[in-house]
Amino acid sequence: MQALRRLTHRAAADALGSGGLECSTSGRLLGAAAARFSAAAEQPVSEPLTLAAEERGLVGSIASNKLRKAGKTPGIVFSGPGGEQHLLAFDSKALGKLVTKLGRTAWACSVFDLQIQGEDGSSRTVRALGRQVHMTSTTDAVENVTFVFCPPERQVRVEVPLKVIGEDVSPGIKGGGRVNWIRRTIPCLARGDSIPRDFTVDISKMELNDKLYFTDLAVPQGAVLHRVNAALPILKVAK
């Protein structure tokens, strides 16, 4: 339990960002791919998803196991105003379906409006960024979830999924190549209202040995690439 607590606290701190080298992009293309690659002019921004929750007062493995037996999954929201935390419980079936739909990578850059039912009958909504999903090793059921408080104006660090389209018509792929993924996610610092849902790139005109770089990505206003080496490729088409 102590190890898990240290892990989740560290994840929450990481999510808030710590400055460092940043690279904002201007859509400049590098190398041979310059004339054969296109990124979406405007990458989609994550729209808040609604998720029902209820307060829980007890912590620890015994209390968490009782929750799970009752069909609920424990969760926590870190880094609220003043540093407070929200201890929550979610309907296990609804949460499991949502995690399956999003995937664990997309979960970590998805924004949620948590509609929290208080133990005293009150209700409130908390805007939070998904952070970690812990699964059981035997059944892949969701064991617990963590979030970070994320109002629209707050800057957070996220790993945004990289997606490609146009593989089926790419000359390089047709010529026997394949997509060599150097990065599956792209590190960003973004406002809570400007978190990219993904970075989608069209590789339909890429030839064999073409490469894409961090600077080839179109980054939405309110977000910047975080601690990246612009000279390194993020994917290439190669045999």
Side-chain angles (χ1 to χ4, degrees), residues 149-160:
F149 182 68
C150 185
E153 70 280 0
R154 189 173 197 174
Q155 190 178 60
V156 292
R157 188 172 70 86
V158 292
E159 290 283 340
V160 180

Side-chain angles (χ1 to χ4, degrees), residues 42-61:
E42 294 185 7
Q43 297 292 348
V45 173
S46 292
E47 295 294 335
L49 302 171
T50 300
L51 185 59
E54 59 186 54
E55 287 183 339
R56 60 183 175 97
L58 299 177
V59 296
S61 58

Side-chain angles (χ1 to χ4, degrees), residues 9-161:
H9 274 286
R10 185 162 59 249
D14 289 346
L16 298 179
S18 57
L21 296 177
E22 298 171 4
C23 174
S24 60
T25 65
S26 59
R28 181 171 59 89
L29 306 182
L30 303 179
R36 296 192 288 271
F37 162 78
S38 63
E42 294 185 7
Q43 297 292 348
V45 173
S46 292
E47 295 294 335
L49 302 171
T50 300
L51 185 59
E54 59 186 54
E55 287 183 339
R56 60 183 175 97
L58 299 177
V59 296
S61 58
I62 294 177
S64 294
N65 286 334
K66 285 184 178 179
L67 274 178
R68 296 184 186 103
K69 289 179 180 179
K72 300 183 183 300
T73 301
I76 186 170
V77 181
F78 290 104
S79 304
E84 77 267 19
Q85 303 171 358
H86 298 279
L87 299 175
L88 305 175
F90 301 87
D91 178 81
S92 295
K93 289 184 178 180
L95 181 64
K97 288 180 180 179
L98 184 57
V99 170
T100 299
K101 178 181 178 180
L102 292 175
R104 295 171 72 177
T105 300
W107 174 275
C109 65
S110 294
V111 178
F112 298 87
D113 278 337
L114 302 178
Q115 297 183 340
I116 302 172
Q117 187 71 29
E119 292 181 303
D120 59 358
S122 63
S123 61
R124 66 188 187 281
T125 299
V126 171
R127 179 71 57 85
L129 172 69
R131 181 47 57 198
Q132 292 183 322
V133 178
H134 298 277
M135 316 283 284
T136 61
S137 58
T138 53
T139 65
D140 282 338
V142 180
E143 193 167 44
N144 61 70
V145 290
T146 62
F147 302 84
V148 173
F149 182 68
C150 185
E153 70 280 0
R154 189 173 197 174
Q155 190 178 60
V156 292
R157 188 172 70 86
V158 292
E159 290 283 340
V160 180

